[in-house]
Amino acid sequence: MSDVYPSVEELPVLSRLALSYAPKVAREKTLGLLALDARLAGIVRSASEPMLAQLRLAWWRDQFAKPISDWPEGEPLLATLKAWREQARALGGLVDGWEHLAGEGPLPANDFSALASARGDAFGALAILLGADDAREECKVAGREWALADLLSRVSAPEETVALRELAGKAAFGPIRLPRAMRPLALLHGLARKAMDSGRSLDDLPPSALLKALRIGLVGR
């Protein structure tokens, strides 16, 4: 892609796989969301102190509070997110969600729940942006459930694993049919369901799960 876009290689492997099934008209906007989520996760993961992560997250929050015309030039990810137009303000909620993970661990269940909900809300905003308004609530649920499975693959502290498993246990993780514009989310949610059903991490799914991903990417279920 053009160098005005963030690199797809910066995305986690499963996000890259999901993005490859985005319809052409949805690709740029979906890339923006997945890349922002990965960037914010990297800020939280790499910060040596919570305050440093909070300062860097605050910069992103400030941008999304401004009109797009006031965004600084030279940041490829912001350039991509201009395509979000009036929904760009919703991305501030995703920043807030990731800030819940910037504290000292072990983190309580409420922090993980807040981030999972924020990621779900961001996918709901993407649905509106892509003209899939009728599927907004389903996208929020699918995004939240994928987020819980994804977070389970990231944490290592026993207390955090227990907290996340309790949250995931309260979620339905049932089949959700999404419109074609949201095919990447359908793929991510399908893999999350597979991970929860098998008791495995998203990073430790068997080859059969990848076949499931290919099927979801092609037919949506």
Side-chain angles (χ1 to χ4, degrees):
M1 300 183 72
S2 165
D3 60 8
V4 301
Y5 293 95
S7 172
V8 175
E9 299 304 315
E10 296 177 12
L11 299 180
V13 172
L14 293 184
S15 293
R16 271 184 268 165
L17 176 63
L19 182 65
S20 68
Y21 287 98
K24 185 176 181 180
V25 295
R27 183 174 171 82
E28 179 184 3
K29 299 176 182 70
T30 305
L31 169 60
L33 174 56
L34 294 175
L36 176 63
D37 189 66
R39 181 75 62 87
L40 299 176
I43 289 173
V44 172
R45 183 175 58 248
S46 63
S48 58
E49 297 179 16
M51 182 62 71
L52 295 177
Q54 291 164 358
L55 287 172
R56 294 179 65 192
L57 292 171
W59 185 87
W60 286 96
R61 183 185 298 107
D62 290 346
Q63 305 317 309
F64 297 133
K66 300 175 185 176
I68 289 178
S69 58
D70 291 342
W71 288 2
E73 301 294 332
E75 165 53 68
L77 180 48
L78 275 181
T80 299
L81 290 169
K82 286 182 177 180
W84 272 61
R85 302 188 300 275
E86 70 280 357
Q87 291 298 323
R89 285 184 174 270
L91 297 174
L94 186 60
V95 179
D96 292 339
W98 274 107
E99 188 167 7
H100 279 273
L101 263 64
E104 296 285 354
L107 298 171
N110 286 346
D111 285 332
F112 293 116
S113 181
L115 173 55
S117 294
R119 292 168 104 181
D121 289 347
F123 276 109
L126 178 62
I128 294 174
L129 191 62
L130 297 177
D133 304 48
D134 292 346
R136 180 187 182 188
E137 292 304 316
E138 289 85 351
C139 290
K140 289 169 68 173
V141 171
R144 185 177 191 276
E145 292 181 348
W146 160 74
L148 290 172
D150 177 64
L151 288 168
L152 266 170
S153 71
R154 295 173 183 263
V155 301
S156 57
E159 302 96 326
E160 294 180 342
T161 299
V162 169
L164 275 165
R165 289 206 174 278
E166 288 180 354
L167 286 173
K170 296 175 183 177
F173 280 95
I176 298 177
R177 192 70 182 266
L178 299 178
R180 187 169 183 272
M182 300 301 295
R183 189 65 52 84
L185 176 58
L187 189 151
L188 291 172
H189 183 256
L191 290 177
R193 289 183 61 212
K194 187 73 172 179
M196 298 308 300
D197 288 346
S198 65
R200 292 172 177 257
S201 163
L202 273 174
D203 296 329
D204 190 36
L205 287 172
S208 60
L210 296 180
L211 292 177
K212 178 181 178 66
L214 292 175
R215 187 187 75 194
I216 295 173
L218 291 171
V219 302
R221 57 185 175 86

